[in-house]
Amino acid sequence: MDVFLKIFFIAIVSLSCDGQREPSLPLSTDSFRQILRTKVPVPVGRSISFSDIIIRHYSTNTTKPRAYRIRDVKRLLAEPTFDPQRPTVLYAHGFVELYTDESVRTVTRAYLKKGGYNILLLDWSNLAFGHYVVSAMDVEAVGNETGRAVSRLVKGGLSLGGLHLVGHSLGAHVLGATARYLAARELVVPRLTGLDPAYPGFYPALLGRPLSAEDAAFVDVVHTDAGGFGAPASTGRADFWPNEGKAKQPGCLSATVPLTYEDFCSHWRSWRYWAESLTGGELLARRCDDYDSFVRGQCREAPLVQMGVKANHELSGNFYLRTAAKSPFSLGERGAE
């Protein structure tokens, strides 16, 4: 039986065991989108080739970014709206995602609203579709190819000191490889952020090398589905654990069909929190030994720190906070009590 049908059958049985009421499935028209994408080896119009990785530049809106093949990325430097001396963020999406998906649109829209950045997207969807194992095993090579592209930009005048790499899920590990490639050439990335770095195949490192605290000058990680789709333990220099960093995050359904759109809610909270930090959200946290100590109030003497884009680059350790169940997620100081 096809895995799609197996999951659907299990869901029907598990959620309709009470014969006194009609079964109610937490499903939508997008529910099986991620599963179906694993059946497609490559998105329409793309090719399974490293040369078909695309760097997209967002300068005015999130629907029509300028696109550059990764090996022709130096042409970006001639674009009038691109300022090499301005801070630059390079965002990398996760497994089976497209640049038109909500995750990318939410993050890029938040950066546009904040202003002051060159906003680039690493669109590697041509190698992030199909079987997860294959995509995971390509992570290092994609990261190296991206490192070469960034190196060309730096040699062409891009300010390395203003570079910030931000990756979600598998994209976090891709940019970890990018940072390592650059570091090996004495180009140390100032900041690398992992948004719930992908767990399967990376902890332990069976399919690829995971993002780590040594990859950049400052590595911060936001955990929202630890031990599920996300990394199970601390992996950065500063690790943030909103709501213990695990599923189910507040506002996510307590019962979901495995691998459906709804099942990724906690994993995707990481980029939602990140976007809110860009648009003014005060996601305040405190350093603590563990979440239990945090909720018992045993760390209230620790100073308040920011989770998100405003995180201090001198931070180290594990930081905890609580959030609201829906946007705006920030609870301010209440979230760190």
Side-chain angles (χ1 to χ4, degrees):
M1 184 185 296
D2 186 272
V3 65
F4 173 84
L5 294 178
K6 286 183 179 178
I7 292 170
F8 189 78
F9 177 74
I10 291 170
I12 291 288
V13 172
S14 63
L15 294 175
S16 62
C17 57
D18 185 347
Q20 302 303 311
R21 59 183 179 181
E22 291 295 317
S24 177
L25 292 177
L27 300 176
S28 68
T29 54
D30 287 326
S31 290
F32 296 101
R33 187 189 71 182
Q34 306 302 104
I35 297 172
L36 293 173
R37 284 181 177 181
T38 67
K39 306 298 182 183
V40 179
V42 64
V44 175
R46 302 293 294 277
S47 65
I48 304 176
S49 167
F50 290 113
S51 63
D52 195 33
I53 299 171
I54 296 172
I55 299 290
R56 299 186 187 274
H57 175 220
Y58 295 79
S59 59
T60 56
N61 59 60
T62 60
T63 56
K64 294 182 179 180
R66 295 290 297 272
Y68 299 88
R69 301 289 178 189
I70 196 164
R71 292 176 182 173
D72 295 326
V73 74
K74 283 191 70 173
R75 293 194 298 115
L76 171 64
L77 296 169
E79 190 174 319
T81 57
F82 187 87
D83 182 355
Q85 296 310 305
R86 190 164 50 188
T88 298
V89 60
L90 175 62
Y91 179 74
H93 61 74
F95 179 56
V96 294
E97 288 197 297
L98 297 168
Y99 83 97
T100 52
D101 284 346
E102 183 184 9
S103 57
V104 175
R105 287 187 289 107
T106 298
V107 172
T108 53
R109 188 184 302 122
Y111 271 104
L112 285 170
K113 184 176 180 179
K114 182 174 178 59
Y117 285 87
N118 296 311
I119 307 163
L120 304 179
L121 169 71
L122 176 65
D123 179 356
W124 66 291
S125 60
N126 63 313
L127 296 168
F129 265 52
H131 201 291
Y132 177 85
V133 170
V134 176
S135 293
M137 292 178 70
D138 279 339
V139 157
E140 195 77 18
V142 174
N144 289 341
E145 191 70 37
T146 306
R148 293 186 189 95
V150 173
S151 178
R152 293 186 193 107
L153 292 176
V154 170
K155 289 177 181 177
L158 178 72
S159 172
L160 178 64
L163 180 63
H164 185 182
L165 306 181
V166 183
H168 174 247
S169 195
L170 268 188
H173 299 313
V174 167
L175 294 184
T178 297
R180 292 191 295 272
Y181 177 94
L182 292 168
R185 286 149 185 83
E186 299 185 350
L187 298 172
V188 178
V189 173
R191 184 177 181 185
L192 167 63
T193 298
L195 304 179
D196 215 34
Y199 177 16
F202 290 88
Y203 305 93
L206 300 175
L207 299 178
R209 183 176 171 182
L211 167 150
S212 76
E214 291 74 40
D215 292 340
F218 176 59
V219 179
D220 58 321
V221 177
V222 177
H223 300 269
T224 54
D225 191 12
F229 294 116
S234 301
T235 189
R237 192 172 107 184
D239 288 77
F240 293 87
W241 305 85
N243 312 299
E244 200 175 7
K246 298 179 179 179
K248 300 292 186 173
Q249 289 287 307
C252 293
L253 293 171
S254 59
T256 55
V257 179
L259 301 179
T260 56
Y261 185 94
E262 293 76 16
D263 196 38
F264 285 97
C265 178
S266 294
H267 190 43
W268 290 345
R269 273 288 196 268
S270 58
W271 51 258
R272 294 190 189 279
Y273 295 153
W274 186 260
E276 186 168 309
S277 81
L278 285 161
T279 55
E282 294 286 303
L283 293 155
L284 300 177
R286 295 187 196 272
R287 181 172 176 171
C288 209
D289 290 336
D290 51 52
Y291 191 67
D292 184 62
S293 298
F294 171 76
V295 296
R296 289 175 181 272
Q298 296 174 5
C299 303
R300 288 179 181 168
E301 298 304 313
L304 290 167
V305 304
Q306 295 263 18
M307 179 183 84
V309 71
K310 296 179 184 177
N312 189 306
H313 293 200
E314 299 302 316
L315 294 177
S316 64
N318 291 294
F319 300 84
Y320 297 89
L321 67 154
R322 294 179 296 106
T323 72
K326 60 181 180 180
S327 182
F329 297 104
S330 171
L331 294 175
E333 290 191 25
R334 289 189 299 117
E337 293 176 350

